[in-house]
Amino acid sequence: MSTLSAFNRFTNSLNEQEQIMPVLFVGHGSPMNGILDNEFSRKWTQLGKEIPTPKAVLVVSAHWLSKGTRITAMDFPETIHDFGGFPKALFDVQYKAPGNPQLARETASIIQSAKVEMDHDWGLDHGAWTVVRHMYPEANIPVLQLSIDYSKGPQYHYELAKELASLRKKGVLIMGSGNMVHNLGMVAWDKIDEPEWGYDWAVDINTKFKDLISNRNHDQLIKYEQLGKEALLAIPTPEHYWPLLYTLGLRGSKDEVSFFNDRVVGGSLTMTSVKIG
């Protein structure tokens, strides 16, 4: 499937299937995870082999905020290097997965709570490609991104996600990409290589988040600002947390939940990730 027409044949007809695709929330962490062989990237590679091969991947990344909701709708999205100060090898990465304009239009049509604009400028930011290139290194599966409307609150994002549920039945892997605990201002760089070390507040709130997720207490997770000072330290700005709410909004009544890459980095970041279904 090396030509655009072949990719279009692959995804033009997204019919419902018996097997419902899982949903992922991935703690993506440093952009360097996109090229490193470490415990996080190895787990992403393993996931790509364990879960059913998707017909397409739809990513909600912490790194695409917009006024209004947008979806990438180009045939081949560019690889965006939306960071600085990293080695040239990271900037050299080109993840040449196709897009799928028809799926973009279909996704926009099923979202009733917002007018979704077709976007031809964004591409795949590092919240998407650093993870997906490990899962699907051959870049032979269409990848799209859905933006996060920064003018809306947590409840809005959670409810919008529910409207995407039918895509799970059509072979689309929906992935939120961010970090549950993400306080760059408090990173202890001198302890960045100590795998078991984290601030007490970061460890405590990460455990709280996992308990709430396991017990389907989504309302408390939506109203995270009411969870105390630990939550406010974990989420000084919400963009890395919002993708989790998209994942939770897609949890069905029979979906089991499991966690992976459950580790603190630098004291104030967690890579804790969630698989639903």
Side-chain angles (χ1 to χ4, degrees), residues 155 158 162 212-224 241 245 247-251 257 276:
Q155 187 75 48
Y158 178 79
K162 293 181 178 180
L212 292 173
I213 292 167
S214 297
N215 293 317
R216 294 181 179 268
N217 289 328
H218 293 178
D219 190 57
Q220 290 188 60
L221 290 158
I222 292 166
K223 299 173 182 175
Y224 67 88
Y241 183 80
L245 299 182
T247 301
L248 297 179
L250 284 159
R251 185 177 181 183
V257 164
I276 293 176

Side-chain angles (χ1 to χ4, degrees), residues 234-253:
I235 311 168
T237 57
E239 74 284 344
H240 277 76
Y241 183 80
W242 279 333
L244 173 65
L245 299 182
Y246 280 81
T247 301
L248 297 179
L250 284 159
R251 185 177 181 183
S253 59

Side-chain angles (χ1 to χ4, degrees), residues 22 54 264-265:
V264 182
V265 175

Side-chain angles (χ1 to χ4, degrees), residues 225-276:
E225 293 172 316
Q226 299 176 16
L227 291 176
K229 64 180 181 180
E230 293 84 1
L232 298 180
L233 285 170
I235 311 168
T237 57
E239 74 284 344
H240 277 76
Y241 183 80
W242 279 333
L244 173 65
L245 299 182
Y246 280 81
T247 301
L248 297 179
L250 284 159
R251 185 177 181 183
S253 59
K254 298 180 180 179
D255 283 328
E256 298 294 327
V257 164
S258 59
F259 299 96
F260 59 96
N261 286 348
D262 186 14
R263 190 157 79 71
V264 182
V265 175
S268 62
L269 305 172
T270 61
M271 294 292 289
T272 304
S273 304
V274 186
K275 177 176 177 286
I276 293 176

